Amino acid sequence: MTFRRACGLSELEEDTPKRVELDGTPVSLVRTEGEVFAIHDICSHANVSLAEGEVDDCHIECWLHGSRFDLRSGKPDALPATRPVPVYPVKIEGDDVLVSVTQES
């Protein structure tokens, strides 16, 4: 698994998604409930950025149609989305937020 620096921890505001691109993959970073989560930034229902949505109770809500995704699993818990979005491993080293978007073989 290869981790890449996504941003500084100090750049993440609580419950405010931040969109980054790592190795060509759009990722939404969220700092909430004392943790940092990385979730694929594109809603599985409509091709829009999840980073433009709101965060509540360890979920991110798509701003367009209201689908909610669990930041821990990527699973939707509100329609119209029915397919999960990928989540990515996160490590914190000092002020660096490191994310792995590579798939293991």
Side-chain angles (χ1 to χ4, degrees), residues 2-40:
T2 303
F3 284 85
R4 302 238 187 268
R5 184 182 189 280
C7 69
L9 185 60
S10 59
E11 296 175 53
L12 296 178
E13 295 180 37
E14 187 77 12
D15 295 329
T16 302
K18 178 180 180 69
R19 185 182 197 279
V20 297
E21 193 164 307
L22 298 168
D23 297 331
T25 301
V27 177
S28 182
L29 298 172
V30 178
R31 184 178 191 172
T32 188
E33 299 182 9
E35 294 186 64
V36 176
F37 299 94
I39 189 166
H40 192 74

Side-chain angles (χ1 to χ4, degrees), residues 3 29 36-39 88-92 96-100:
F3 284 85
L29 298 172
V36 176
F37 299 94
I39 189 166
Y88 307 108
V90 175
K91 290 194 307 188
I92 308 297
D96 292 333
V97 176
L98 307 173
V99 177
S100 176

Side-chain angles (χ1 to χ4, degrees), residues 17-21 24-29 38-53 60-64 67-69 71 74-76 81-88:
K18 178 180 180 69
R19 185 182 197 279
V20 297
E21 193 164 307
T25 301
V27 177
S28 182
L29 298 172
I39 189 166
H40 192 74
D41 188 49
I42 305 302
C43 178
S44 63
H45 168 257
N47 192 23
V48 297
S49 172
L50 291 175
E52 296 178 34
I60 190 166
E61 182 176 315
C62 178
W63 62 271
L64 188 58
S67 294
R68 285 174 30 108
F69 298 90
L71 291 168
K75 292 180 181 176
T82 58
R83 291 178 292 125
V85 294
V87 293
Y88 307 108

